[in-house]
Amino acid sequence: MKLRELVFINAFVVALTLAIVNFYFQGSFYDLTITFVITLVICYIVFYYLIERYIYSKIKLIYKLIHNLKLGKDLKDALGEYVSNDPINDVEIEVKEWARVKKIEIDALKQQEQFRRDFLGNISHELKTPLFAVQGYIEALQDEAMEDPALAKQFLEKASRNIDRLSLLIKDLDSISKLESGEIQLSYKKFDLTALIKEVIDQMELKARTQKVQLVFKDKYHVPTWVNADRDKICQVLINLIDNSIKYGRENGTTSIKTFELHDQILVEVTDDGIGIEEKYLPRLFERFFRTDMSRSRQIGGSGLGLAIVKHILEAHQQTITVRSTEGLGSTFAFTLARAKASFPI
């Protein structure tokens, strides 16, 4: 509602009230009319002056401040000062919208703060475990184990494994940090995804056989599948996903890799028939150090950053990764890559 309309309604109500009171005592329609007109004019002028000076001008100032803050400096300079025709109504809308946006920002900050606390707690635990183990073996060697060469060698091997775990953790943290900051530049090129998948399967075959998991990439995938991406980074994605499926797969189980041609993308699926994941854990699966089963995950090993790295690599390619899983039946990780035109030998 505009200022003039607001002032007129108030003045009209006051004038009508006084005119009716006057008519009640005087009983004259002439006096009623005169009282109504004079009161309406006087009230309109007085109300307009008072509201304009002490209320409306301050509302306009508040509105301009909120509006300019929402626009930001660059947009404000481009558009110039903006004055609303109806600041009383617009300021309500602006404040509600601003409050909604700020609430979203505050909620996001709270989530980030919680994530920061969880991350610091997790990384502290992940670093302490191998460090304390190494410290324990070294102290044992210093105390008495050196007298027994076989025991000393055993302790050294265990210390070496924990150092390797620590080195892997630091390497993965460094990779995520560089991916987030954009320090790692992607080297896009056209390559045959089918050939890369076969290479990764050959590379992971020994580990899969040790865990009694069969890797399946059907013979129908003999035709090249051309994609445009960073070959080394996509190789890392495939290794991490297949390694993850082997770790959490069941004994004598299967991990199958499939590809599907979409309009301008290639969809890759890595499916296992392992323990599966509870639905409530799926939204957090790509968080750093997130584990659905802490005790089993630590026994299996790994840095706890594999899926986080996978997500960052694919996001750097402007592609997506999704997961669907049923507890006790298995999981499927699916990601997309930009499709490239086929290359033919000359």
Side-chain angles (χ1 to χ4, degrees):
M1 184 180 294
K2 295 183 179 180
L3 177 61
R4 288 185 176 85
E5 296 173 355
L6 178 64
V7 171
F8 179 80
I9 291 173
N10 281 274
F12 180 84
V13 171
V14 173
L16 182 61
T17 303
L18 290 177
I20 292 172
V21 171
N22 182 276
F23 179 77
Y24 177 79
F25 288 104
Q26 300 295 332
S28 169
F29 282 102
Y30 176 77
D31 291 339
L32 181 145
T33 304
I34 294 298
T35 302
F36 176 79
V37 172
I38 293 174
T39 304
L40 180 64
V41 172
I42 293 174
C43 286
Y44 183 85
I45 294 171
V46 173
F47 288 173
Y48 189 90
Y49 173 77
L50 292 175
I51 294 175
E52 168 69 27
R53 179 163 184 178
Y54 296 104
I55 299 176
Y56 199 68
S57 60
K58 291 179 174 58
I59 292 175
K60 285 168 64 177
L61 178 62
I62 293 171
Y63 173 78
K64 285 173 63 177
L65 287 171
I66 294 173
H67 189 76
N68 290 338
L69 282 171
K70 284 183 65 180
L71 284 177
K73 184 177 179 181
D74 295 337
L75 276 176
K76 187 183 78 172
D77 293 341
L79 298 176
E81 291 290 340
Y82 175 77
V83 180
S84 171
N85 293 325
D86 187 10
I88 292 178
N89 180 62
D90 289 347
V91 76
E92 180 184 2
I93 297 172
E94 293 273 356
V95 168
K96 286 181 178 179
E97 175 63 18
W98 199 31
R100 186 186 66 82
V101 172
K102 293 302 175 185
K103 184 180 183 303
I104 294 173
E105 291 178 358
I106 290 170
D107 290 343
L109 288 172
K110 287 181 179 178
Q111 290 178 354
Q112 290 174 7
E113 177 63 19
Q114 182 62 42
F115 176 79
R116 185 188 68 83
R117 287 197 295 267
D118 292 344
F119 176 72
L120 289 175
N122 286 329
I123 195 172
S124 174
H125 184 84
E126 294 289 343
L127 289 171
K128 282 192 300 184
T129 302
L131 280 174
F132 286 170
V134 171
Q135 183 181 21
Y137 293 130
I138 291 175
E139 289 176 353
L141 287 169
Q142 290 174 334
D143 291 340
E144 55 188 24
M146 290 299 293
E147 299 176 3
D148 185 345
L151 184 60
K153 182 179 180 182
Q154 183 182 356
F155 281 1
L156 285 172
E157 288 175 350
K158 290 181 178 180
S160 177
R161 284 198 295 269
N162 279 278
I163 290 173
D164 289 341
R165 178 181 171 186
L166 188 61
S167 176
L168 174 63
L169 176 62
I170 294 171
K171 180 182 176 182
D172 285 348
L173 280 171
D174 184 57
S175 297
I176 286 184
S177 177
K178 289 180 177 178
L179 284 166
E180 285 184 333
S181 63
E183 291 182 34
I184 296 180
Q185 299 296 323
L186 299 179
S187 178
Y188 282 91
K189 63 181 178 181
K190 183 162 58 177
F191 65 90
D192 180 11
L193 180 62
T194 300
L196 177 61
I197 292 174
K198 291 178 179 178
E199 288 178 19
V200 173
I201 289 175
D202 289 341
Q203 183 178 339
M204 303 295 294
E205 187 66 40
L206 179 60
K207 183 171 185 178
R209 194 180 304 119
T210 303
Q211 299 293 330
K212 298 181 180 179
V213 173
Q214 182 183 7
L215 301 180
V216 177
F217 189 55
K218 293 185 178 179
D219 293 337
K220 69 175 184 178
Y221 299 111
H222 62 276
V223 178
T225 303
W226 298 101
V227 296
N228 187 31
D230 186 317
R231 193 179 192 276
D232 292 337
K233 293 294 182 292
I234 300 306
C235 179
Q236 187 177 0
V237 167
L238 288 167
I239 289 173
N240 284 357
L241 291 179
I242 294 174
D243 182 65
N244 199 65
S245 72
I246 293 172
K247 287 178 181 177
Y248 297 98
R250 63 181 177 84
E251 190 173 327
N252 298 318
T254 301
T255 290
S256 62
I257 301 93
K258 300 176 183 178
T259 62
F260 303 91
E261 294 185 359
L262 306 179
H263 174 61
D264 57 352
Q265 292 177 317
I266 299 296
L267 176 67
V268 182
E269 288 189 349
V270 179
T271 303
D272 65 70
D273 53 2
I275 61 175
I277 306 162
E278 288 186 60
E279 186 176 355
K280 65 180 180 180
Y281 294 131
L282 294 181
R284 300 190 58 194
L285 203 58
F286 296 97
E287 292 181 11
R288 303 173 192 179
F289 298 116
F290 179 76
R291 302 176 191 265
T292 58
D293 186 341
M294 299 294 287
S295 59
R296 186 173 191 272
S297 296
R298 297 196 191 286
Q299 290 172 2
I300 291 172
S303 66
L305 296 169
L307 291 179
I309 291 174
V310 165
K311 182 182 178 184
H312 278 83
I313 290 174
L314 291 170
E315 285 181 346
H317 282 80
Q318 297 183 345
Q319 299 297 324
T320 59
I321 181 167
T322 58
V323 57
R324 58 183 187 272
S325 182
T326 302
E327 191 176 9
L329 295 179
S331 307
T332 296
F333 289 85
F335 65 92
T336 57
L337 292 173
R339 187 175 182 181
K341 293 181 179 179
S343 296
F344 298 97
I346 299 175

